[in-house]
Every structure is written in structure tokens, then in C-alpha cells.
Amino acid sequence: MAVARPVRVLGLAAVMIWIFFIYSLFSPKAPIAHPKGKTPPSFEHDPMLDPTGEPEGILVRTSDKYAPDAENSARINATLLALVRNEELEGMLQAMRDLERTWNHKFNYPWTFFNDVPFNDEFKRRTQEVTKAKCNYELIPKEHWEVPSWINNDLFLESTKVLKQQGIQYADKISYHQMCRWNSGMFYKHPALANTQYYWRVEPKVHFFCDVDYDVFRYMQDNNKTYGFTINLYDAPKSIPQLWPTTLQFLAEHGNYLHKNNALDWLTDKTRRPEHNENANGYSTCHFWSNFEIGDMSFWRSKVYEDYFNHLDRAGGFFYERWGDAPVHSIALGLFEDKNRIHWFRDIGYQHIPFFNCPNSPKCKGCVTGRFTDGESFLYKEDCRPNWFKYVGQG
């Protein structure tokens, strides 16, 4: 029996719809372009879009006791800290102007600049011109900066070739490896910081967007905080493949160092980016982006951290791989510190290219609320804040 033409057309249409349905289910999906300034796809809801006020707890406001020349100053033993070269002057001035405008002109904490060569007169003159606070210019001791004697140079050169082939940025720059090692375990040993407890790390070319009206260092002290961050990212697993196994070796020998209220789940999560955990041999690669960090150097000076750093240092990974101070600091904090003493400064607007921390606050100008990056959409997957919020919270 012949089938009427309209019926045949309907049947063909149904087959085509079914084929399209099957293709839609199993075909690879193109990445979703994320609208800038809106909730990233990794969040059900980004808390940066919620109205942001000051943190809870004890807050100390500015007063005459914070004047640059105040007797019996209200300032505690803290400094703004920068590792910077003479040729980075313009970028340093831009960062200083931002932080002076938004915060330090109210509190006048000193600036301490570090370099592995002496600062020139222009650097000293122009940095001092943008602040009423005291500026200190320090030379890093050679023994803190030079490549350790136990590093095999031939092995280092071969290792950097492999890292470079794998696309690891700065792998062949010896100064970058030295910088990572210094920031990880040397900076707080400098004689100029012997009587300093708290620091706020500032790098050239970073931006600050929000007025902060309380003494951040006093907040850390009065509210029992060890470390503060703004941005929380995934690292490149191929730059640190032996960092976690080397850490586990240390834990096997010093199990008593593990804090009862640790953030181990955050460090070892494998649900969100399992390929990172696999390639980093058990480490999620989540870390606090340490170009911004506000910290209590008592933690770095502790026997626990000193033992851990020395273990890593002797393993050679600062040179044979590209162990950065960000994952090293983050792993140490996640294992050996009470996670409740780590604070997310959600109210401090900040940018280090290409990532932002931009709160929903009338105190902020110059950044887009909730924007995580102004780069390509694939960069949103580098955001590890959802894991921090999941395992620790938003405090």
C-alpha cells in the first residue's frame, strides 16, 4: 500500500529530529563563552555579586596616631613589602599610588623594598615621593639568593629544557627559580624584617580598586588571622609534579605536624579538575595567588614551616621543576595551620593580570563587579574559589 506523501514527509522529519537529538546528546560541546562581569559557570552563585561590606570582627579606624610622625603610633610592627627591580619602577609606582589612595594614606605603614642588586637613586627618590610613609631599601644577602650548592647545574639545564617543551612559563629563567625560592623560604629571614611580624606583599603593575577604612594589619592581629588572600587558582600541574609526593614524604616523617583543623580536602580535591589531581600526583593544585598576600611571619618562622621548607629545598624542586611560592605557601597553610585562621579579603578590590577580585561595594571604582578575568573565557576554569568555599567557607 502506498504511503501518502504528507505522511512520508512527517516520517522523514521525525527521523531527522531524532538524529539531531542523538547528535546533541553525544557530540562534543563547544566551550561556553562567559559574559564578563557575570557569574562564572563553575558557580551556582558567585558571592562576589552579593553586597560586600567590611569583615566581621574587631576593626580599628584611622586616627591622629596613624600620622607619619605620630608619637606613640597606633601602627603595629608591619610593613608593605615588595621584591622589585630598578627597571620595574614605573609599575611599582602605579601599584603604590593605588594602594596609597585606597588605604595607606590613612595608616602610613612603611614600605620595604627588596632587590638582589642595590636600588638606584631614581628608584629611591620617586618611590618616596608617592607616600608620606617611610621607605626602606634593602639588598638581599647573596646566601639568600644564590643557587644552593647542592643543585646540579647540568641537571637543572636538562630539566628546564623538558619544562620549556611542556610549555611551562619562565622555566628557563634562573632568576625566576631564585625568586620563587626566596619568596617561599627566605624573605622573612632578612635582617631588616627581624622586628616585623606582619607584611602585605605588593608587586609592580597590580591594581587596587576599593577604599579600605580599617587597619588591615590590626585586623589580622586582633582577629587571630595568619594569612589573607584575594584570588584562589589552579596551578600548572606539569610545573610541580613532585611537589605533592615530596610533601607526603615529609608528612610520613612528621605526621604530628598536621593540624587537626586542616584544609587537606581543598588540597586533594579531584572532583572538579581530576586531570590536575592526576598530573600533580594527588594535589589539586589549588593555591592562594601569592602576588597578593597579607601574612603573619610567625608562621613562616615556626619550626614546622622551617622543617617543611628545608625538606623541599633539599629535594631541589625549586630548580629541577618550577615550584612556586604560591603552591608551597598554600600547601603549608592547608596542612599545618588552622583553616579558620586563613581569611578571604573579599572587600579588597584587586587585579593582577589577568585575574580580579572585584566586590559589589560602593567603595570600589574601576573594576566590574564579580568579574574574575577580562581574558579568554577558558580562564574561568582556573578559579579554585568554589573549592575553598566548599571545604572551608567564605570567612
Side-chain angles (χ1 to χ4, degrees):
M1 181 177 69
V3 180
R5 185 176 179 183
V7 176
R8 292 200 307 269
V9 171
L10 287 174
L12 180 61
V15 170
M16 295 300 294
I17 291 170
W18 177 251
I19 291 171
F20 178 77
F21 175 71
I22 294 299
Y23 177 81
S24 299
L25 278 179
F26 296 105
S27 65
K29 303 297 190 293
I32 299 172
H34 174 63
K36 295 177 180 178
K38 296 186 180 180
T39 306
S42 56
F43 279 104
E44 290 183 4
H45 179 73
D46 186 346
M48 291 302 283
L49 296 175
D50 296 330
T52 298
E54 295 176 330
E56 296 180 357
I58 302 169
L59 300 177
V60 176
R61 308 294 179 181
T62 189
S63 68
D64 292 342
K65 291 185 177 181
Y66 282 102
D69 55 353
E71 295 184 10
N72 301 316
S73 169
R75 285 182 292 275
I76 61 175
N77 54 341
T79 190
L80 300 165
L81 184 153
L83 174 64
V84 58
R85 298 189 183 280
N86 286 305
E87 55 267 30
E88 295 176 302
L89 173 59
E90 296 302 329
M92 194 70 243
L93 291 173
Q94 176 257 296
M96 288 183 71
R97 292 188 186 104
D98 268 15
L99 191 52
E100 287 289 329
R101 171 180 51 81
T102 56
W103 183 72
N104 199 44
H105 78 278
K106 307 162 197 171
F107 298 97
N108 295 293
Y109 274 96
W111 288 85
T112 305
F113 301 99
F114 292 96
N115 197 346
D116 64 316
V117 299
F119 286 105
N120 59 38
D121 290 340
E122 182 187 11
F123 187 97
K124 293 177 180 179
R125 175 179 59 81
R126 295 185 64 193
T127 49
Q128 185 62 80
E129 285 175 351
V130 299
T131 178
K132 295 179 180 178
K134 182 181 179 182
C135 291
N136 304 298
Y137 305 91
E138 304 296 341
L139 184 65
I140 297 172
K142 287 185 178 180
E143 62 270 22
H144 287 182
W145 190 260
E146 291 179 342
V147 178
S149 60
W150 57 86
I151 298 300
N152 183 301
N153 189 59
D154 291 336
L155 181 56
F156 166 70
L157 293 175
E158 287 302 314
S159 300
T160 58
K161 288 180 184 177
V162 174
L163 291 170
K164 195 172 182 181
Q165 289 170 357
Q166 294 175 334
I168 300 302
Q169 195 175 22
Y170 311 125
D172 58 343
K173 294 185 180 297
I174 185 67
S175 60
Y176 191 86
H177 294 263
Q178 292 170 301
M179 176 194 70
C180 291
R181 179 176 180 262
W182 186 82
N183 278 325
S184 294
M186 293 293 166
F187 80 92
Y188 51 87
K189 298 174 183 175
H190 196 287
L193 298 178
N195 297 315
T196 303
Q197 183 174 353
Y198 296 94
Y199 70 100
W200 183 337
R201 178 170 160 182
V202 184
E203 292 197 355
K205 297 183 179 180
V206 300
H207 288 279
F208 296 92
F209 302 105
C210 308
D211 291 330
V212 179
D213 297 320
Y214 59 92
D215 183 337
V216 169
F217 294 123
R218 281 293 302 271
Y219 173 80
M220 297 287 288
Q221 181 186 73
D222 295 344
N223 295 279
N224 198 28
K225 301 295 183 182
T226 297
Y227 189 86
F229 71 95
T230 52
I231 295 170
N232 192 323
L233 300 174
Y234 287 92
D235 209 346
K238 291 182 180 179
S239 69
I240 50 171
Q242 290 304 309
L243 177 56
W244 189 248
T246 305
T247 297
L248 293 181
Q249 293 171 3
F250 179 77
L251 285 175
E253 300 171 5
H254 302 280
N256 58 308
Y257 284 176
L258 187 65
H259 199 284
K260 292 181 180 179
N261 193 34
N262 59 65
L264 184 61
D265 289 341
W266 172 67
L267 293 172
T268 58
D269 177 83
K270 57 184 178 182
T271 58
R272 196 158 173 267
R273 297 194 74 177
E275 74 285 358
H276 273 236
N277 183 289
E278 180 179 354
N279 292 330
N281 294 301
Y283 172 35
S284 68
T285 76
C286 287
H287 64 278
F288 310 118
W289 213 22
S290 58
N291 46 69
F292 175 108
E293 58 181 10
I294 299 173
D296 181 348
M297 285 185 278
S298 300
F299 179 78
W300 310 130
R301 291 166 174 156
S302 69
K303 176 175 170 51
V304 172
Y305 184 76
E306 187 67 11
D307 287 349
Y308 177 61
F309 172 75
N310 287 337
H311 178 81
L312 298 183
D313 201 23
R314 282 288 174 175
F318 289 109
F319 295 92
Y320 302 142
E321 296 184 357
R322 200 206 66 185
W323 295 356
D325 50 279
V328 169
H329 280 184
S330 301
I331 289 173
L333 288 159
L335 294 176
F336 309 130
E337 183 54 288
D338 182 342
K339 62 188 179 186
N340 292 331
R341 297 188 66 176
I342 302 171
H343 178 68
W344 175 38
F345 278 103
R346 64 184 296 170
D347 59 316
I348 297 181
Y350 178 73
Q351 181 202 22
H352 182 298
I353 294 173
F355 299 110
F356 290 82
N357 186 73
C358 189
N360 180 1
S361 169
K363 293 186 176 185
C364 302
K365 296 178 182 178
C367 64
V368 178
T369 297
R371 171 180 284 177
F372 175 68
T373 180
D374 56 1
E376 299 296 328
S377 60
F378 71 84
L379 289 172
Y380 281 96
K381 66 183 179 182
E382 303 303 328
D383 187 3
C384 195
R385 288 178 304 156
N387 275 1
W388 184 257
F389 300 154
K390 174 183 176 182
Y391 293 117
V392 180
Q394 298 177 22

